[in-house]
């Protein structure tokens, strides 16, 4: 006898199922194929293993039998033929069957059967013959929705089963269940290629749908076939039947797992990673050569020690003439609220005018990283400022006064000023703001930064053109080696000092005709939160929260390769740790 392809398929399934003893029925469960509407026609013969399925001859592993006047037919074969589940549950040693309208459980230990929770004596409905589950013939019409005829002379059983799609209308709720459906934009995808899912779900009642996906990924990084399942729920809580499609991933690489987020994430996008990935791929890249110009046209008075004050007094004091930047970063560690001010004393015998041209300030807050970031945002915005005061000879004016500091609060500020004479600037805290703050004691240095420095800006010119940048490279900011810390002088202690991370300065990075690339921020030194100005646009890094070297990096910018130039302006924000790395990552046509 020559079997057809369908017959061979069914025989292979039956051999895997029906040749097992009853205790091994757990291995007899095979995946159901998709149920479609249609008619199934089966012909059995009593005590014979030959049968016909939709006109094709098949061999059964369990022949229909008559026991005590009752006819029994093979359950697993019929379940597969009709598209219904027949499954062995090892934990409870029961067999479950699921038909369109009935949930059936057969307990052979306790000789019981349950149909939608109702009890039946087991031998009334089923039996085991040579380890095969056999069900009573009358169940075909009662519970499996099939009709049959029995020819006693030929000992032939003809079974007809018509599959009907399950309805979606609920007459009790007077509404319809939604229908989940989707497709892919193409038949197959490569490794690391973004997958486009086309949602085709709908609700007959025109209600909004909530979609739940299982197995869905933006991209897959291993070749193979993956099932994706979608379930839709309407606003009434009605849930669709699960809808599953298989996606085929070819064994061809489009983007590696490392490249994928860099190519596909937008500007501001956060790339989740880990320390080993950062260390192995980004910390030790080659440094981009740069031409450095130092701006010494303005001196920097930096007051950051004591960073946290616990008593009233003078925090820092020095004299300057001409262009000056005043920078302060302090926190109230006292047990009472105190006031902070900057005093300006005319040290000449002529009136001196002090003009403010740029500022960055933040009101008192307890969040140090937020404080430094927002003050720097204010400074990089470079909004027009036109404030001035004229100080008589030998007099002291209050240049700036801040709202009261409550315990735990701090401030960060930057002011660019210009004076036409020598002015002494005093940073001080007290109960009351007045010129008498000059009489307060000078608070001792406690290990942070303070001093007067000659440089307020670094201009870096770099080449990241198509010919110069053919692999990822980096710029380090605030590492003390590739970006040296500037030296200054602390007049209160009379010693030379250093400005780690060059706080209070501004970096201006310029490139002509940059290639197509991504620029990524990596917080190598620790917690970081701060803004960058990219071609005139302020961008916060990260958009929310804090960036650290242990969990991820942020895409600062992307270029198209058509820009005439790239300009990045940055000032190290107070509270953040350094160094940070800017990774310049070349992109090709795969970039979105």
């Amino acid at each position: 006898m020559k079997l057809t392809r369908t017959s061979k398929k069914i025989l292979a399934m039956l051999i895997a199922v029906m040749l097992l003893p009853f205790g091994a029925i757990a291995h007899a469960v095979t995946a159901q194929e998709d149920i479609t509407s249609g008619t199934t026609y089966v012909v059995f013969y009593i005590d014979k293993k030959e049968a016909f399925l939709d006109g094709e001859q098949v061999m059964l592993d369990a022949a229909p039998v008559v026991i005590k006047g009752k006819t029994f037919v093979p359950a697993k074969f019929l379940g597969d033929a009709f598209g219904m589940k027949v499954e062995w549950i090892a934990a409870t040693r029961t067999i479950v069957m699921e038909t369109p309208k009935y949930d059936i459980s057969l307990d052979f230990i306790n000789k019981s059967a349950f149909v939608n929770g109702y009890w039946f004596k087991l031998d009334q409905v089923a039996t085991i013959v040579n380890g095969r589950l056999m069900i009573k013939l009358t169940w075909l019409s009662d519970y499996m929705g099939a009709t049959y005829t029995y020819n006693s002379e030929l000992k032939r059983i003809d079974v007809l089963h018509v599959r009907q799609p399950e309805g979606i209308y609920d007459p009790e709720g007077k509404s319809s269940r939604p229908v989940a459906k989707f497709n892919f934009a193409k038949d197959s995808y490569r490794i690391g290629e973004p997958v486009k899912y086309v949602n085709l779900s709908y609700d007959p009642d025109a209600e909004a749908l909530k979609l739940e996906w299982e197995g869905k990924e933006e991209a897959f990084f291993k070749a193979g076939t993956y099932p994706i399942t979608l379930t839709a729920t309407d606003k009434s809580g009605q849930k669709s039947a699960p809808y599953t499609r298989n996606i085929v991933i070819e064994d061809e690489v489009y983007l590696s797992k490392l490249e994928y987020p860099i190519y596909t994430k937008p500007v501001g996008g956060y790339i989740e990673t880990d320390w080993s990935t950062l260390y192995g791929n980004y910390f030790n890249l080659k440094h981009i050569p740069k031409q450095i110009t130092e701006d010494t046209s303005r001196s920097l008075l930096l007051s950051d020690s004591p960073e946290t004050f616990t008593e009233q007094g003078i925090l820092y004091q020095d004299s300057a003439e001409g262009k000056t930047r005043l920078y302060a970063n302090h926190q109230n560690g006292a047990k009472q609220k105190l006031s902070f001010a900057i005093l300006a004393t005319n040290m000449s015998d002529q009136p001196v005018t002090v003009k403010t041209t740029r500022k960055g300030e933040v009101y008192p807050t307890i969040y140090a990283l937020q404080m430094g970031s927002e003050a720097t945002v204010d400074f990089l915005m470079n909004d027009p400022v036109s404030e001035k005061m004229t100080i008589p000879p030998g007099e002291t004016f209050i240049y700036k006064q801040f709202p009261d500091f409550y315990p735990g609060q701090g401030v960060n500020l930057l002011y660019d000023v210009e004076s036409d004479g020598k002015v002494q600037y005093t940073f001080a805290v007290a109960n009351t703001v007045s010129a008498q703050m000059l009489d307060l004691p000078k608070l001792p240095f406690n290990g942070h930064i303070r001093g007067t420095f000659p440089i307020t800006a670094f201009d870096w010119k770099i080449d990241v053109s198509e010919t110069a940048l053919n692999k990822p490279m980096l710029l380090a900011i605030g590492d003390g080696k590739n970006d040296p810390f500037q030296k200054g002088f602390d007049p209160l202690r009379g010693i030379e000092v250093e400005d780690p991370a060059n706080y209070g300065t501004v970096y201006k990075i310029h490139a002509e005709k940059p290639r197509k690339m991504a620029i990524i921020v990596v917080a190598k030194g620790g917690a970081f939160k701060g803004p960058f100005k990219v071609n005139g646009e302020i961008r916060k890094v990260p958009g929310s929260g804090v960036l650290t070297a242990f969990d991820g990096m942020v895409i600062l910018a992307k270029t198209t390769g058509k820009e005439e130039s790239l300009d990045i302006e940055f000032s190290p924000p107070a509270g953040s740790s350094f160094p940070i790395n800017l990774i310049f990552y070349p992109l090709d046509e795969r970039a979105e």
Side-chain angles (χ1 to χ4, degrees), residues 170-205:
D170 176 13
E172 293 183 5
K174 296 183 179 180
S175 65
S176 299
R177 292 188 291 111
V179 177
K181 191 181 297 184
F182 70 94
N183 203 349
F184 307 112
K186 50 193 290 189
D187 293 336
S188 64
Y189 289 83
R190 292 164 285 180
I191 291 172
E193 183 177 7
V195 178
K196 183 178 180 180
Y197 298 85
V198 183
N199 176 34
L200 302 171
S201 304
Y202 67 93
D203 183 74
D205 305 314

Side-chain angles (χ1 to χ4, degrees), residues 454-494:
I455 304 169
T456 54
F458 297 94
D459 292 337
W460 291 356
K461 288 187 178 180
I462 61 173
D463 185 358
V464 287
S465 62
E466 190 80 35
T467 55
L469 185 72
N470 53 29
K471 58 183 178 181
M473 299 178 72
L474 69 81
L475 276 180
I477 298 178
D479 68 347
K481 181 179 178 182
N482 298 281
D483 176 26
F485 303 142
Q486 67 162 316
K487 307 294 183 181
F489 186 77
D490 178 3
L492 301 187
R493 290 183 291 160

Side-chain angles (χ1 to χ4, degrees), residues 275-295:
W275 176 265
S276 61
T277 300
L278 289 168
Y279 185 83
N281 297 279
Y282 300 107
F283 283 176
N284 301 306
L285 296 173
K286 184 178 179 181
H287 290 256
I288 297 176
K290 54 184 180 287
Q291 298 178 11
I292 303 173
T293 302
E294 298 174 345
D295 183 356

Side-chain angles (χ1 to χ4, degrees), residues 49-264:
K49 292 187 177 182
E50 293 85 358
F52 291 87
L53 175 62
D54 291 333
E56 297 186 5
Q57 189 176 32
V58 296
M59 293 297 295
L60 306 175
D61 285 324
V65 294
V66 176
I67 302 175
K68 295 180 180 180
K70 299 176 182 178
T71 304
F72 292 85
V73 291
K76 187 68 173 66
F77 173 76
L78 288 172
D80 290 338
F82 298 165
M84 301 174 188
K85 184 171 79 170
V86 179
E87 182 179 8
W88 164 252
I89 307 298
T92 58
R93 298 189 62 78
T94 58
I95 293 173
V96 297
M97 300 175 62
E98 292 182 7
T99 72
K101 296 182 179 180
Y102 299 95
D103 291 325
I104 302 165
S105 176
L106 306 176
D107 183 347
F108 285 88
I109 295 177
N110 297 305
K111 308 298 183 184
S112 298
F114 297 90
V115 179
N116 286 353
Y118 290 96
W119 178 85
F120 291 86
K121 190 176 180 180
L122 183 64
D123 60 8
Q124 292 179 343
V125 296
T127 188
I128 294 292
V129 177
N130 296 326
R132 311 297 182 264
L133 174 64
M134 312 292 285
I135 61 169
K136 190 177 175 183
L137 181 62
T138 54
W139 268 33
L140 292 174
S141 56
D142 291 342
Y143 300 118
M144 299 187 80
T147 60
Y148 70 91
T149 59
Y150 178 61
N151 186 317
S152 58
E153 182 178 351
L154 298 176
K155 294 185 177 181
R156 168 173 164 165
I157 305 166
D158 291 67
V159 180
L160 194 65
H161 177 261
V162 180
R163 286 193 196 121
Q164 295 181 351
E166 186 179 354
I168 61 174
Y169 183 71
D170 176 13
E172 293 183 5
K174 296 183 179 180
S175 65
S176 299
R177 292 188 291 111
V179 177
K181 191 181 297 184
F182 70 94
N183 203 349
F184 307 112
K186 50 193 290 189
D187 293 336
S188 64
Y189 289 83
R190 292 164 285 180
I191 291 172
E193 183 177 7
V195 178
K196 183 178 180 180
Y197 298 85
V198 183
N199 176 34
L200 302 171
S201 304
Y202 67 93
D203 183 74
D205 305 314
E207 294 181 356
L209 297 178
K210 176 184 177 182
L211 304 181
E212 299 177 43
W213 296 86
E214 183 178 344
K216 181 183 180 184
E217 300 287 347
E218 290 184 12
F220 294 82
F221 296 96
K222 187 176 180 180
T225 301
Y226 300 89
I228 315 295
T229 300
L230 173 63
T231 305
T233 305
D234 64 21
K235 69 177 184 180
S236 303
Q238 295 247 49
K239 190 179 290 286
S240 72
Y243 181 84
T244 300
R245 296 187 73 92
N246 290 327
I247 187 169
V248 177
I249 305 300
E250 301 171 357
D251 193 10
E252 178 185 347
V253 177
Y254 179 75
L255 289 171
S256 70
K257 198 169 186 177
L258 193 70
E259 294 173 318
Y260 181 81
I262 298 173
Y263 270 80
T264 60

Side-chain angles (χ1 to χ4, degrees), residues 360-486:
E361 56 189 16
V362 63
Y363 286 106
T365 175
I366 61 173
Y367 300 105
L369 286 167
Q370 184 79 12
M371 177 179 70
S373 176
E374 294 305 321
T376 307
V377 167
D378 201 26
F379 190 72
L380 292 181
M381 286 174 63
N382 201 13
D383 288 336
V385 180
S386 182
E387 301 174 354
K388 64 180 180 179
M389 62 172 60
T390 300
I391 309 170
E395 294 293 322
T396 297
F397 280 9
I398 307 300
Y399 170 71
K400 287 292 178 180
Q401 177 179 352
F402 270 74
D404 290 339
F405 279 49
Y406 285 82
Q409 290 185 329
V411 293
N412 181 220
L413 59 85
L414 300 92
Y415 295 108
D416 279 357
V417 299
E418 297 178 8
S419 67
D420 55 5
K422 188 175 182 180
V423 177
Q424 176 183 270
Y425 297 97
T426 301
F427 302 76
V429 289
N431 287 322
T432 304
V433 173
S434 69
Q436 280 67 46
M437 295 173 81
L438 292 174
D439 299 326
L440 292 170
K442 294 179 175 61
L443 299 180
F445 176 80
N446 71 349
H448 287 269
I449 314 162
R450 75 181 186 196
T452 299
F453 300 88
I455 304 169
T456 54
F458 297 94
D459 292 337
W460 291 356
K461 288 187 178 180
I462 61 173
D463 185 358
V464 287
S465 62
E466 190 80 35
T467 55
L469 185 72
N470 53 29
K471 58 183 178 181
M473 299 178 72
L474 69 81
L475 276 180
I477 298 178
D479 68 347
K481 181 179 178 182
N482 298 281
D483 176 26
F485 303 142
Q486 67 162 316

